[in-house]
Amino acid sequence: MSDLQGGCLCGKVRYTVSADPVFSGVCHCKNCQKGTGSAFSVVMAVPSSGVAVTGTLTSYVGKGDSGKDITKRFCPNCGSPISSEAALMPGVTMIEVGTLDDPSAAKPTMHIYCRSKMDWMPIPEGVGTFPTMPMPG
Ligand SMILES: [Zn+2]
Ligand SMILES: [Zn+2]
């Protein structure tokens, strides 16, 4: 895969992703709803070693719906959420797909935390759905 570029709304933060995604999914958890101000977040998970950021991100550490720490990173100037890291998935960075210059690079294959999905939001055919997280193992 060729490198992906992205950045925040104001342009002060830019990033390059040079690693293949681990997965891409839609998260309907309360944490994502609050953190994005939207109904869900769409993320592309990539190895953290493959993400290079220019500019300064501010971070906020909170508890995800799993009860484990989630570090959310956002632009301090325009507030765009850029990425997050979950203590449950060490070494993986979740990129907020809406900040990619070409968001079509991400093809979400699963919807997680559907238990808190907003009622009016339909789930497309052919994707995996999980009430919370698909637990490895
Ligand atoms: Zn910004
Ligand atoms: Zn979430």
Side-chain angles (χ1 to χ4, degrees):
M1 191 182 80
S2 56
D3 289 0
L4 299 174
Q5 314 283 331
C8 67
L9 188 56
C10 76
K12 290 198 171 187
V13 174
R14 295 287 301 163
Y15 64 82
T16 300
V17 176
S18 57
D20 286 336
V22 182
F23 66 86
S24 183
V26 178
C27 185
H28 299 271
C29 83
K30 300 269 187 205
N31 194 285
C32 287
Q33 289 170 349
K34 284 278 189 199
T36 61
S38 185
F40 52 82
S41 75
V42 189
V43 298
M44 188 176 70
V46 296
S48 302
S49 57
V51 182
V53 176
T54 56
T56 306
L57 286 170
T58 297
S59 59
Y60 166 75
V61 182
K63 298 285 181 203
D65 283 18
S66 65
K68 297 279 172 41
D69 282 356
I70 306 258
T71 304
K72 292 184 165 293
R73 301 189 192 279
F74 53 94
C75 172
N77 190 52
C78 68
S80 302
I82 300 291
S83 63
S84 58
E85 290 127 47
L88 274 177
M89 283 185 283
V92 171
T93 296
M94 260 90 64
I95 299 285
E96 298 287 343
V97 163
T99 65
L100 287 168
D101 292 346
D102 177 13
S104 71
K107 312 275 187 229
T109 56
M110 62 181 174
H111 285 237
I112 67 171
Y113 283 98
C114 292
R115 69 178 181 188
S116 49
K117 179 178 78 63
M118 293 190 185
D119 284 347
W120 48 264
M121 169 70 200
I123 301 274
E125 293 283 322
V127 299
T129 62
F130 303 89
T132 57
M133 291 265 290
M135 279 317 212

